[in-house]
Amino acid sequence: MFAYVGSRTTRERNARGEGISVFKLDQEAGTLEPVQVVKDLVNPSFLALNRDGSRLYTVHGDLSDISAFSVDKASGKLTFINRQSTQGKNPVHLALDPSGRFMVVTNHIGHSLAVLPVNGDGSLGEVAQLVTIDGQPGPHRTEQPHAKPHFNPFDPSGDFVIVPDKGLDKVLSYRFKDGRLTPADPPSVAARETSGPRHVAFHPTGAWAYVVNELDSTVTAYRYDATRGALQPVQVVPTLPASFTGNSRASEIAVDREGRFLYASNRGLDSIAVLAIDPASGLLTFITAVPSRGRTPRFFAFTPNGRYLFALNEESDSIVTFAVDCERGVLEATGAQVHSGSPVCMVFSV
């Protein structure tokens, strides 16, 4: 099994990354062994693999492009296929539809969603649909000048795309059918002012969705109606302990395989928050925030077997391994870590 790590690479981002790093993953030990670095890429900052692990796709942050690579499944190594415009500025996330025939991309500064066809050889076609996102910005004077969509995963059914928008303090829902996005009914749900919705994670049952809010370091729990793509907020919970009085911003979010615990990263406190999920109501209870053993954990990822969590510390150029206590949800550093320049995303081959 292999792990792929995207990074920031540009001087404008004060970055030290070299491109996309490929590691051989030992799931039983939670260790990573370097295999390849694909260099001369501008900010390959979010990655996606197709279902069989034969193709890898990346956005190029701060530009207007995404790229496709073929994957040698024996060695894990990548070979460039092609690059395609997203017709927007600063693509930050991308997701393949369940059929693998279309790619949906979030243009963060371009405040739009792009849909691109994926050809049989894995190459990307030209943008087939561009959906502009507009609305009343939130009140934060610097972070919310306009719409800022940040994430566009498909829901568990594959029928809807859910888009947290940091600039509008909203979470948007789109139906996806025949390669096209149309607003769901209702098309969005309002978040708390200046919360800055960033990423979303679904409970394995599909009954609940959880959105991490970047600007106020909270998680909002929603009941999720998969027939309409509708979100109903039921709770807001901090990702920070009550004793923390400094500045911090939340970043990534994930739910464990069993649906018992939720995790969110804090940049400032530099930690991974652990919250328990009530199995009946889906409501959250804050447990603890575990230091990430580095600076600015923009991203983290569970190994496919759920036994380990890798914390990607962007500003200290490290990927730190934590063992996951599946009964209590807590994390314990194993002592293993690898150097990786400005790491910001990690995905695993199947």
Side-chain angles (χ1 to χ4, degrees), residues 276-314:
I277 302 174
D278 183 276
S281 67
L283 297 180
L284 303 170
T285 302
F286 179 86
I287 298 175
T288 188
V290 179
S292 68
R293 303 292 182 99
R295 298 192 309 277
T296 316
R298 178 178 293 272
F299 193 86
F300 64 86
F302 288 99
T303 54
N305 63 9
R307 292 181 54 187
Y308 296 96
L309 178 148
F310 293 112
L312 279 65
N313 294 303
E314 181 183 6

Side-chain angles (χ1 to χ4, degrees), residues 1 74 79 110 148 170 180 196 248-249 253 261 263 265 269 276 310 347:
M1 182 170 288
T79 301
K148 284 187 173 184
K170 286 184 178 181
R180 294 192 67 82
S248 192
R249 292 191 177 186
I253 188 170
F261 300 98
Y263 300 82
S265 61
L269 181 59
F310 293 112
V347 295

Side-chain angles (χ1 to χ4, degrees), residues 167-186:
L168 300 182
D169 287 327
K170 286 184 178 181
V171 183
L172 311 172
S173 297
Y174 293 88
R175 184 178 292 276
F176 189 84
K177 186 176 181 181
D178 299 327
R180 294 192 67 82
L181 295 163
T182 56
D185 183 18

Side-chain angles (χ1 to χ4, degrees), residues 171-346:
V171 183
L172 311 172
S173 297
Y174 293 88
R175 184 178 292 276
F176 189 84
K177 186 176 181 181
D178 299 327
R180 294 192 67 82
L181 295 163
T182 56
D185 183 18
S188 66
V189 61
R192 181 180 288 172
E193 283 189 351
T194 69
S195 59
R198 180 181 173 92
H199 284 188
V200 60
F202 288 92
H203 193 270
T205 64
W208 303 300
Y210 302 95
V211 174
V212 65
N213 301 305
E214 176 180 339
L215 300 182
D216 69 357
S217 297
T218 62
V219 172
T220 304
Y222 296 88
R223 291 192 184 95
Y224 185 65
D225 181 347
T227 64
R228 298 186 302 137
L231 296 156
Q232 178 188 356
V234 294
Q235 184 190 30
V236 178
V237 181
T239 65
L240 301 168
S243 59
F244 180 73
T245 60
N247 295 315
S248 192
R249 292 191 177 186
S251 183
E252 183 57 300
I253 188 170
V255 175
D256 76 328
R257 295 194 307 169
E258 304 302 320
R260 298 177 61 185
F261 300 98
L262 180 144
Y263 300 82
S265 61
N266 296 305
R267 298 170 294 172
L269 181 59
D270 292 340
S271 60
I272 309 297
V274 184
L275 298 91
I277 302 174
D278 183 276
S281 67
L283 297 180
L284 303 170
T285 302
F286 179 86
I287 298 175
T288 188
V290 179
S292 68
R293 303 292 182 99
R295 298 192 309 277
T296 316
R298 178 178 293 272
F299 193 86
F300 64 86
F302 288 99
T303 54
N305 63 9
R307 292 181 54 187
Y308 296 96
L309 178 148
F310 293 112
L312 279 65
N313 294 303
E314 181 183 6
E315 293 192 18
S316 54
D317 303 330
S318 63
I319 301 174
V320 179
T321 306
F322 292 84
V324 181
D325 185 325
C326 296
E327 293 301 316
R328 298 185 299 131
V330 296
L331 307 171
E332 183 176 350
T334 66
Q337 71 175 58
V338 295
H339 173 83
S340 183
S342 304
V344 291
C345 181
M346 188 178 213

